[in-house]
Amino acid sequence: KATLCPLKNTRQTMIEQVIEHIDLSKYSDEDRAVIEAMQQEINLASTVAITNFCNVSSASAGIEALSSAMEQAPTSLLAGKIAEIVAKLNEADPRIVAEKPGWLARVTGSALEGKVRYQVSRKAVDTLIEEADRMSEHVVSLVGKLEEMMAAHTNESHQLELKMVAGRLYLERNPDAGLPPAGEISFDNPRERFARRLASMAALFSSNEMSLTQMKLTRVQAIDMVERFHEISNVLAPLWRQHTMALVSSIKNSPEAIAAAAKAHESLMA
């Protein structure tokens, strides 16, 4: 008997923690109606009823869907392609073409070689931007999938929260429900079992919230990367092409043209 007392106290403490006072004022009228309806489903005298009430879908489906969407890592592929663009831009610096070749460069043909190398690098940048543009479409598709998963996940977490509140309110309003008969030896305590299941639901709710936070973070990162790339492909790259083409096609380049091309190049690099 002395051995069982501490265990009994521990169980009682767990139940008290589960049925801590619920503030219903933070829930809408619709949510409160759902909570009241859920309590009608609770019957601690029935093991089946307890199991059915506490059976909830887990976050595993959402996590699997997120993992599947991220398997091909579209954001990583786009980031890698952007890194290739930056590396190739180092070889396509318009100031290379703008430099006046010395007599040795003219004699050996290195000046012409440098110009040809620049043109090849510039063309390679255009090709890489086209490839990255196709990759950006996959990132946009990922964002759409994430938003669908987030909506489903948010609804699932909300229903789980309402079910937890309903269970806790039931225990609070029915202090004797599920207790073993007084004075009898019992090997089952439905009230304690129900409280333990509610504690597990609370842990699952916390896990769901963490998964939702991860989805939000992934979505924001993907959107940021796509917006940056679209700024590159739709604004900075056309300006860069315009100024660099002017340098390549002109025999004599003014300091203003060289400065404008260098500025466009630096903006694209940044």
Side-chain angles (χ1 to χ4, degrees):
K1 186 175 181 180
T3 305
L4 292 176
C5 282
L7 180 59
K8 182 179 180 181
N9 292 337
T10 301
R11 290 173 174 174
Q12 186 63 32
T13 301
M14 183 190 71
I15 295 175
E16 290 173 355
Q17 289 174 347
V18 168
I19 63 172
E20 60 185 2
H21 180 66
I22 303 295
D23 182 12
L24 289 177
S25 63
K26 68 177 184 177
Y27 297 97
S28 65
D29 293 340
E30 183 181 354
D31 285 345
R32 286 197 290 269
V34 172
I35 290 170
E36 294 298 332
M38 284 179 172
Q39 290 184 74
Q40 303 304 315
E41 304 173 15
I42 302 174
N43 178 13
L44 299 190
S46 169
T47 301
V48 174
I50 294 176
T51 301
N52 290 339
F53 182 84
C54 296
N55 276 346
V56 292
S57 58
S58 68
S60 59
I63 295 173
E64 284 295 327
L66 177 61
S67 299
S68 177
M70 293 297 293
E71 271 181 6
Q72 296 181 347
T75 51
S76 299
L77 292 174
L78 180 57
K81 189 60 65 175
I82 291 175
E84 288 183 45
I85 293 171
V86 173
K88 191 57 68 174
L89 278 170
N90 284 322
E91 302 175 11
D93 192 330
R95 285 167 291 198
I96 296 174
V97 180
E99 290 179 357
K100 293 183 179 180
W103 69 270
L104 182 60
R106 289 195 297 270
V107 170
T108 60
S110 60
L112 179 60
E113 181 186 348
K115 191 171 184 178
V116 171
R117 190 184 300 114
Y118 166 78
Q119 291 175 326
V120 171
S121 298
R122 190 184 66 79
K123 184 63 178 175
V125 169
D126 288 337
T127 302
L128 288 171
I129 289 177
E130 291 174 4
E131 293 174 359
D133 191 49
R134 289 192 291 271
M135 290 180 179
S136 70
E137 295 175 3
H138 294 295
V139 178
V140 172
S141 177
L142 172 64
V143 171
K145 291 179 182 178
L146 283 170
E147 289 174 347
E148 291 177 3
M149 285 189 286
M150 285 167 57
H153 214 71
T154 300
N155 181 65
E156 179 183 304
S157 290
H158 184 62
Q159 292 301 314
L160 179 58
E161 181 182 9
L162 296 183
K163 186 164 280 193
M164 285 192 305
V165 171
R168 290 171 176 175
L169 276 178
Y170 181 87
L171 292 178
E172 182 181 345
R173 293 173 178 176
N174 302 274
D176 297 327
L179 289 176
E184 293 185 12
I185 298 176
S186 176
F187 298 98
D188 186 29
N189 189 329
R191 185 179 181 86
E192 177 200 325
R193 181 153 38 89
F194 185 65
R196 189 164 58 245
R197 295 293 293 270
L198 290 179
S200 298
M201 290 168 69
L204 176 60
F205 178 76
S206 298
S207 175
N208 278 12
E209 291 297 292
M210 291 175 61
S211 297
L212 185 59
T213 300
Q214 180 61 45
M215 290 181 190
K216 289 179 179 178
L217 178 61
T218 304
R219 174 183 173 273
V220 168
Q221 291 173 337
I223 290 175
D224 180 63
M225 182 168 294
V226 168
E227 288 183 347
R228 285 189 178 198
F229 174 71
H230 284 171
E231 183 183 7
I232 291 172
S233 62
N234 298 331
V235 180
L236 299 176
L239 286 174
W240 174 79
R241 289 192 191 100
Q242 177 186 347
H243 290 296
T244 54
M245 280 296 293
L247 285 184
V248 172
S249 59
S250 177
I251 298 175
K252 286 189 176 181
N253 293 303
S254 65
E256 292 78 11
I258 296 172
K263 184 177 180 181
H265 184 81
E266 289 171 0
S267 297
L268 186 54
M269 287 284 289

